[in-house]
Amino acid sequence: MTTALASHTTPEVRSLLDDTLLHELSHGLLGPYHVLFPERFDANAAAFREALAEAGVEGRVYYAKKANKAAVYTERAAVAGLGVDVASRGELREALAAGVRGEDLVVTGPAKTQDLLRVAVLQSALIAVDALDELDRVLELAGHLGRTARVLLRRLPPEQPHSRFGLDEGELESALRRCVGAPVHMEGFSFHLSGYDVRQRTDLAAELIALCRQARALGLRADRISIGGGFAVDYVGADDWRRFEESRRPEHFHAGKSFGGFYPYHSPVAGADALRTILAATPTGSAEGTSLAGLLRAAGVALLVEPGRALLDQAGFSVFRVQGVKERDGYAVLTVDGSSLSLSEQWFDSEFLPDPVLVPGGARPVADAGPYPACVGAATCLESDMLTWRKIPFPVRPAVGDLLVYLNTAGYQMDSNESPFHELPLPPKVVVEPAGSRFRWRLDRHPH
Ligand SMILES: *Cc1c(COP(=O)(O)O)cnc(C)c1O
């Protein structure tokens, strides 16, 4: 039997799951939809700022916009005075339209287009330079526009030498020489690591502080470093996760499917606590045993962070309606009114594992004891278009008209991969906010 992987929830999520609003919206919007909670975004952002303040570290939080296309989170970032991390003309346009000031943007991504760089320089955005040829283009552009470009130099992580991002040691030296006397404010260095290791982030941050000292010796400003994103999100409890990992077998998945690997859905240290841990740790080889926070303060270096997923923790979920139930040998194949394009983990040889919550369409007698295992397929003609391959142990027998709610999907899951495949409309996004004892909703402003 498969084990349950119950998603963590919040009070507002629980009361919304009990509310008639979800069924009403499914009826009114004629298909699947995503729910967004801007207040949770605000709370997550406040927690990151709190972690910086507690450590006595000067710093700035930039929301990594690629984690979700909705307008509402970027608008909240603007209002709260957060920065925003953008990596394309479209993201930059959306951020400016949401009210984020140019100087509060950091532009990341490899080999940025000339268009993107021009607007970034004109808007005084901070540019994380990824390569020497890109630096040359920035300097030339700044000269041409009669402006001073603001740049960070992105470090290739020595522990991830096969990364295609960033400058290696030799390239950094060359980049520093090129910045001297050029129309540029060389404000510091950056990295973004894949994975969620806190130790690697502490160590590499310490190396960037040392690089700032080198750069200052050349007369450059170098007073900030960015440690990027990659603050883990904790989706499920430790016991559920351990049981799942210990008992995992191909028979637990439809068609005996197996996967390359899974996101670490349980993380003992997550979100702003991960930042706390990074700041409190002593970098490897730090002679005086000083914490990273202490090193930053001593060097007068500010810390920039660019969380995406972690700012969206519990800030949204995705709702599908069951439109068919087919019995198989010992389990059911559910078909819902959308596709796995709205659950992007399914497209990375992996699976979004937390159990979707079944919200019954009407009162039903609980016949015999559950659980009722079922996998979840899409309303498309592709054999492999499954929202969930795993045979989820549902507490009641799913029926047509029930809703399946995939919780905590705002970070990367809901819309990274969506397309109107099969001429199915893109699921709309519904912004939900508490209003007294009820909820108010409106559509998000982002144009598809
Ligand atoms: C994707 C990305 C982020 C955000 O990563 P999360 O894992 O969502 O926190 C931050 N910075 C850069 C440069 C990125 O590419």
Side-chain angles (χ1 to χ4, degrees), residues 337-420:
D337 57 352
S339 102
S340 63
L341 289 163
S342 301
L343 214 57
S344 52
E345 199 70 13
Q346 306 306 105
W347 293 81
F348 294 95
D349 183 28
S350 191
E351 170 131 313
F352 185 69
L353 284 171
D355 294 347
V357 174
L358 188 78
V359 180
R364 275 205 302 281
V366 178
D368 18 271
Y372 300 84
C375 62
V376 186
T380 66
C381 302
L382 297 181
E383 189 73 84
S384 62
D385 191 358
M386 299 289 293
L387 284 84
T388 297
W389 293 84
R390 194 164 63 89
K391 298 168 188 170
I392 305 285
F394 287 106
V396 296
R397 190 176 180 286
V400 170
D402 292 348
L403 299 181
L404 278 192
V405 183
Y406 285 84
L407 297 177
N408 212 355
T409 53
Y412 296 108
Q413 294 308 314
M414 58 175 60
D415 67 6
S416 298
N417 286 33
E418 280 183 338
S419 85

Side-chain angles (χ1 to χ4, degrees), residues 23-205:
H23 275 286
E24 257 176 60
L25 286 169
S26 173
H27 179 77
L29 298 170
L30 304 170
Y33 59 95
H34 306 296
V35 169
L36 315 178
F37 294 115
E39 297 198 340
R40 184 51 56 167
F41 177 89
D42 295 346
N44 292 334
F48 269 89
R49 288 174 147 176
E50 185 63 30
L52 290 171
E54 271 170 27
V57 164
E58 191 69 38
R60 190 87 201 264
V61 181
Y62 292 79
Y63 164 50
K65 194 183 174 331
K66 73 170 184 284
N68 194 296
K69 294 184 193 125
V72 72
Y73 302 124
T74 312
E75 289 166 0
R76 300 300 270 236
V79 169
L82 258 54
V84 174
D85 166 3
V86 297
S88 71
R89 258 307 276 279
E91 287 183 353
L92 183 143
R93 186 185 58 228
E94 287 288 311
L96 290 174
V100 181
R101 297 176 309 174
E103 68 207 61
D104 294 333
L105 295 171
V106 59
V107 183
T108 62
K112 294 172 248 326
T113 65
Q114 206 66 8
D115 269 359
L116 178 57
L117 289 176
R118 187 182 68 251
V119 180
V121 171
L122 289 171
Q123 288 289 331
S124 303
L126 189 55
I127 302 169
V129 171
D130 188 64
L132 285 176
D133 63 338
E134 188 177 76
L135 179 62
D136 290 341
R137 285 194 292 129
V138 170
L139 299 184
E140 195 187 8
L141 199 54
H144 189 69
L145 294 168
R147 302 280 184 132
T148 306
R150 297 175 56 219
V151 303
L152 298 175
L153 300 176
R154 180 162 171 173
R155 175 75 170 111
L156 170 78
E159 293 205 45
Q160 296 177 0
H162 301 297
S163 169
R164 66 186 178 94
F165 300 107
L167 301 150
D168 67 21
E169 228 175 292
E171 289 167 330
L172 277 177
E173 262 179 44
S174 172
L176 288 176
R177 278 197 306 275
R178 291 181 207 190
C179 287
V180 175
V184 71
H185 290 303
M186 211 301 284
E187 300 197 1
F189 300 87
S190 72
F191 65 77
H192 172 69
L193 293 172
S194 42
Y196 298 92
D197 194 279
V198 284
R199 158 64 45 196
Q200 281 185 14
R201 287 177 167 78
T202 299
D203 286 352
L204 194 47

